[in-house]
Amino acid sequence: MDGFMKGRIKIFTYGCQMNDLDSLKMHSGLSTLGFTPTQETAEADIIILNTCSVRQKAYEKAISNLGRLKSHKSRNPSLIIAVTGCVAQQEGERIRERMPHVDIILGTHQLHRLPDLIEHVHNASYPMTETDFSESIPSMDIVPDQGLSDHPHRSYINIMQGCDNYCSYCIVPYVRGHEVNRDYKKVLNEIGLHASRGVKEVFLLGQNVNSYNGGITFPGLLRGIHGIEGIERIRFTTSHPKDVSDGLIDCFKDLDKLCSHIHLPFQSGSDSVLKAMNRHYTHHSYLGLIEHLRSARPDISFSADVMVGFPDESKQDYLDTLAIIKTVRFDVLYSFKYSVRPGTAAAAQLNDNVSSEVKIERLKQLQALQKRITFENNQARIGKIYEVLVDGISPKNPLQVHGRTSQNAIVNFLGDQGLIGKILPICITRANQNSLTGEMA
Ligand code: 5AD
Ligand code: SF4
């Protein structure tokens, strides 16, 4: 396998930050073995599709891209094609019925097996599928090479995986499995290691981080991380409103390293829709939570996920959703049309009875409203000074650098390579639709 180990890999990543981190771990592990990355699909010896199936669209994208790789395989029969992530978990062997050119199908708990499977396929030329769930998820403990990341001063850290909430529309519990928590000592050790290598910001990841319990609670974990020297910023995603405890709200009061931002998906503003979604909170209690967080941390910013067109969503239900948006005034809102996910409770029990036209129209109106709010929020920041952690050279202007405020707003300002990784006070001079422009204060 020696010569082969000098091969080139191309990883396509779809979906959430969890998948981004999994891709970085695969990339890291294969680099250690001698593989090098390539941008050119045609040059690759191994192509990995790290897939997402949370919504119908993401699923279709993965399947159609997989179909497109068939011609690469016919041109280069020694090419190894692997499918990982949620579609691999959901479909397993069925993928190969439609896509016989796929060599490796690797489920969400089996990521650590990738190098072995590549070796098997290479030596024996037969396809491999591993999609079993396990009690522990070994890949959560893989520490990726931070040097391969495009944000060297920010590390993403798995603290848990999977979900036991079973929101009626959601496929995640079926493709990521039950909630598995990583031991807090391992989390703190990994963060200590990153800090000693110059990482300043940690981003804790899990499908529902506030229900974390890996030996201590989530607020306990945040307090532990706060004590690690060198770490200056702590972020986390994603959170379920029903699990935002008083202990977590207190963290926003007490821990100055905890960034002034929370992603808090609300999905709908209608109590009847929320009930049918199995979300365990109401319009009123969600707004109460927002108020609590605001009084604990007055400069906190909010982002969220929402969907339109859930079964039986009436005009009034939809207006209740818009009311939440108008009241909270999120900085960023990820909005989707409901799509049926096979295997979920909603797919089995409810009719997808809001027409496609109505879903499109509701989404369009909602997005127009949010666009205005995002811009107004940005405008309100003009003249104020924010601490910005510089991430890199701006993609659109090589004379500028870009970074993020504690509130997670993107800021561009004049600067060079030498500023990367520094936290600087920046005065905002201009509001753009999705970013801010500033100058050193
Ligand atoms: N249809 C539409 N959107 C969905 N999401 C999850 N499942 C579905 C579905 N079946 C959205 C939710 C979730 C985000 C990651 O994707 O808003 O928070
Ligand atoms: Fe899906 Fe609900 Fe779990 Fe989030 S909390 S991953 S929406 S089941």
Side-chain angles (χ1 to χ4, degrees):
M1 167 124 175
D2 288 353
F4 179 68
M5 283 308 198
K6 304 242 166 358
R8 283 151 300 181
I9 37 168
K10 166 89 185 162
I11 306 181
F12 291 92
T13 309
Y14 307 93
C16 63
Q17 282 149 321
M18 189 78 89
N19 270 10
D20 288 338
L21 178 57
D22 283 346
S23 288
L24 184 65
K25 289 181 179 189
M26 290 193 270
H27 183 173
S28 221
L30 294 173
S31 299
T32 317
L33 292 177
F35 290 97
T36 50
T38 175
Q39 291 308 317
E40 298 300 323
T41 312
E43 274 182 5
D45 301 293
I46 300 176
I47 299 176
I48 300 168
L49 257 71
N50 191 12
T51 59
C52 168
S53 64
V54 75
R55 292 174 298 276
Q56 174 76 16
K57 226 166 148 180
Y59 173 87
E60 279 165 5
K61 202 159 148 190
I63 294 291
S64 79
N65 285 352
L66 208 48
R68 232 172 284 152
L69 294 180
K70 195 171 180 172
S71 59
H72 289 271
K73 182 82 174 185
S74 9
R75 252 179 277 133
N76 173 13
S78 66
L79 170 68
I80 294 179
I81 297 177
V83 187
T84 62
C86 296
V87 174
Q89 186 65 50
Q90 188 187 324
E91 296 293 313
E93 273 294 330
R94 281 196 300 265
I95 292 179
R96 211 171 275 113
E97 289 164 17
R98 288 167 64 189
M99 312 273 174
H101 55 288
V102 171
D103 301 287
I104 295 172
I105 299 169
L106 197 59
T108 52
H109 286 200
Q110 302 297 335
L111 215 67
H112 62 291
R113 298 273 299 131
L114 183 67
D116 277 355
L117 263 54
I118 289 177
E119 190 168 355
H120 277 297
V121 170
H122 177 67
N123 292 339
S125 281
Y126 62 82
M128 303 285 293
T129 300
E130 289 196 9
T131 53
D132 287 348
F133 279 147
S134 49
E135 287 295 304
S136 67
I137 306 174
S139 64
M140 279 214 279
D141 293 330
I142 298 175
V143 179
D145 176 357
Q146 188 62 21
L148 297 172
S149 140
D150 50 13
H151 34 71
H153 301 281
R154 180 184 313 117
S155 274
Y156 290 83
I157 320 275
N158 280 133
I159 63 164
M160 53 90 68
Q161 208 187 120
C163 185
D164 293 331
N165 286 322
Y166 293 93
C167 300
S168 63
Y169 52 81
C170 185
I171 199 148
V172 167
Y174 308 95
V175 292
R176 288 272 175 184
H178 279 298
E179 190 175 308
V180 175
N181 292 286
R182 189 172 171 208
D183 185 271
Y184 80 97
K185 293 185 276 322
K186 290 184 176 169
V187 174
L188 294 179
N189 279 343
E190 179 178 346
I191 295 176
L193 187 71
H194 288 302
S196 70
R197 293 174 180 167
V199 165
K200 291 196 171 158
E201 181 176 303
V202 289
F203 208 131
L204 311 176
L205 294 183
Q207 268 79 30
N208 182 15
V209 290
N210 21 94
S211 70
Y212 172 81
N213 200 340
I216 45 175
T217 61
F218 187 57
L221 183 69
L222 292 176
R223 288 177 190 274
I225 297 169
H226 199 260
I228 297 177
E229 206 179 317
I231 297 301
E232 298 189 31
R233 287 181 162 194
I234 309 168
R235 299 187 189 276
F236 58 86
T237 203
T238 185
S239 302
H240 193 305
K242 78 173 168 55
D243 293 317
V244 176
S245 62
D246 290 346
L248 177 55
I249 296 176
D250 285 344
C251 287
F252 280 100
K253 269 192 215 140
D254 301 342
L255 308 181
D256 54 353
K257 293 181 180 180
L258 186 60
C259 286
S260 296
H261 169 242
I262 184 166
H263 183 71
L264 203 53
F266 68 102
Q267 312 299 0
S268 167
S270 149
D271 288 348
S272 61
V273 173
L274 287 170
K275 194 155 194 292
M277 287 178 164
N278 194 29
R279 291 288 289 178
H280 300 285
Y281 54 88
T282 62
H283 183 112
H284 181 73
S285 68
Y286 182 84
L287 291 181
L289 196 51
I290 296 284
E291 276 316 302
H292 252 88
L293 285 158
R294 273 207 172 113
S295 45
R297 182 68 73 85
D299 70 351
I300 197 166
S301 79
F302 296 99
S303 60
D305 299 341
V306 64
M307 66 182 93
V308 297
F310 189 76
D312 295 329
E313 182 188 71
S314 67
K315 181 80 192 284
Q316 185 55 48
D317 293 326
Y318 169 67
L319 293 176
D320 291 345
T321 294
L322 296 188
I324 294 248
I325 298 172
K326 287 177 193 157
T327 307
V328 180
R329 297 182 62 81
F330 301 94
D331 271 1
V332 176
L333 186 59
Y334 301 94
S335 48
F336 311 103
K337 286 180 288 178
Y338 168 72
S339 58
V340 178
R341 306 314 297 122
T344 59
Q349 293 157 16
L350 303 172
N351 253 335
D352 184 15
N353 56 5
V354 177
S355 73
S356 175
E357 294 73 36
V358 170
K359 283 181 188 168
I360 291 169
E361 186 52 36
R362 287 182 183 170
L363 189 66
K364 202 171 104 192
Q365 273 183 20
L366 182 154
Q367 289 178 339
L369 167 66
Q370 181 56 43
K371 193 170 172 193
R372 181 168 59 73
I373 293 172
T374 298
F375 188 59
E376 287 170 0
N377 286 358
N378 282 345
Q379 276 179 317
R381 291 179 168 136
I382 294 175
K384 293 189 180 159
I385 294 174
Y386 293 91
E387 298 282 314
V388 173
L389 170 60
V390 182
D391 279 326
I393 299 290
S394 302
K396 288 188 194 148
N397 182 347
L399 299 177
Q400 285 188 332
V401 288
H402 68 101
R404 286 187 186 255
T405 65
S406 172
Q407 291 77 7
N408 212 28
I410 299 169
V411 183
N412 289 282
F413 61 98
L414 277 183
D416 58 30
Q417 202 84 25
L419 300 182
I420 298 174
K422 293 205 161 62
I423 297 180
L424 302 165
I426 302 297
C427 180
I428 304 307
T429 53
R430 205 178 77 200
N432 312 305
Q433 181 58 54
N434 294 313
S435 67
L436 302 165
T437 307
E439 58 192 28
M440 268 193 253

